[in-house]
Amino acid sequence: MQSNIIVTAVVVIYLLVMLLIGYLSSKKIESNTDFVVAGRRLGPFLMAGTLAATEIGGGSSLGVVQQGMESHGLSAAWYIITMGFAFVILTFLAPKFRAAMVKTVPEYFRRRYGKPSGIITSLIMFVPLIGLTAGQFIASSVILSTMLNLNYKTAVLIVGVVVTIYAIMGGLWSVTLTDFVQVFLIVIGMIIALFTFFFRTSVNITTTLFFR
């Protein structure tokens, strides 16, 4: 009972912190540019944090691992490897987009190649984002429902409301800052889980050998 209360308190505090970050980020919003591209003032650390959180979030930490364990084996790593190549390519393309002073990739193609190119690029980018967003929501909702013993639909509703609120309040500022916090929590959690696994495994092996 006490452990359930502690877990619930931790989750509630975490969600409130995310909303607080969204509120504080809203203070930085003075124009459309601030909302959409964070005023073009994101440094390399914040950019690295938000990209890392996106790629080692639910899609990687849960989805890829599950696929690897169930049927795909090491081939499930294609998702991570592909994104690694994509980031290398973007390293060379990003300066061109930044120099063009556009807010989105489709806007760049619309200005350079005309309206049809902008529409096609929007569709190409929009369709995969539906799956990516759904994957993140599913992973977050599974974790929340498991931790709090909630109905899955209720967990989806909570996650959707919290994410939507802080994203609307602070735009890219709030998304980046929450991602930056989350990536540290993800990495620290994975390290703790890894050490716990190895510790318990070594204890079990030692116990088995000792009492054989």
Side-chain angles (χ1 to χ4, degrees), residues 7-212:
V7 170
T8 302
V10 169
V11 173
V12 171
I13 292 172
Y14 168 78
L15 294 176
L16 290 176
V17 169
M18 295 297 102
L19 293 174
L20 177 62
I21 291 175
Y23 172 74
L24 295 176
S25 299
S26 67
K27 303 297 182 181
K28 296 177 176 287
I29 306 300
E30 297 180 356
S31 65
N32 177 266
T33 301
D34 289 333
F35 184 85
V36 178
V37 291
R40 306 182 193 281
R41 298 195 300 273
L42 294 179
F45 289 105
L46 288 177
M47 285 297 299
T50 187
L51 290 174
T54 300
E55 297 314 316
I56 63 175
S60 303
S61 58
L62 294 182
V64 174
V65 173
Q66 180 180 356
Q67 290 298 320
M69 294 297 293
E70 287 183 351
S71 57
H72 291 72
L74 289 177
S75 63
W78 70 265
Y79 173 79
I80 307 299
I81 295 173
T82 302
M83 292 309 302
F85 282 116
F87 287 150
V88 172
I89 295 173
L90 288 175
T91 301
F92 299 97
L93 296 179
K96 295 183 179 295
F97 287 109
R98 187 174 182 84
M101 298 300 289
V102 295
K103 297 183 179 69
T104 63
V105 174
E107 182 183 358
Y108 176 85
F109 281 90
R110 178 180 61 79
R111 289 185 181 184
R112 189 174 179 85
Y113 302 109
K115 187 175 180 180
S117 297
I119 295 174
I120 293 172
T121 307
S122 299
L123 293 174
I124 292 174
M125 295 187 67
F126 178 73
V127 174
L129 283 175
I130 295 176
L132 179 62
T133 304
Q136 298 290 357
F137 271 75
I138 290 171
S140 300
S141 301
V142 168
I143 294 173
L144 187 65
S145 63
T146 302
M147 293 181 68
L148 301 184
N149 195 26
L150 290 175
N151 178 271
Y152 175 72
K153 293 182 180 179
T154 303
V156 171
L157 182 62
I158 294 173
V159 171
V161 169
V162 171
V163 173
T164 301
I165 289 176
Y166 74 64
I168 290 176
M169 282 197 295
L172 188 60
W173 273 118
S174 62
V175 172
T176 301
L177 293 175
T178 52
D179 279 350
F180 196 76
V181 172
Q182 290 165 5
V183 73
F184 278 103
L185 296 177
I186 291 171
V187 172
I188 292 173
M190 286 183 174
I191 292 174
I192 293 174
L194 189 62
F195 274 103
T196 301
F197 168 76
F198 281 118
F199 175 76
R200 291 185 177 180
T201 302
S202 62
V203 170
N204 290 336
I205 293 175
T206 303
T207 303
T208 302
L209 292 175
F210 184 78
F211 290 102
R212 173 179 292 181

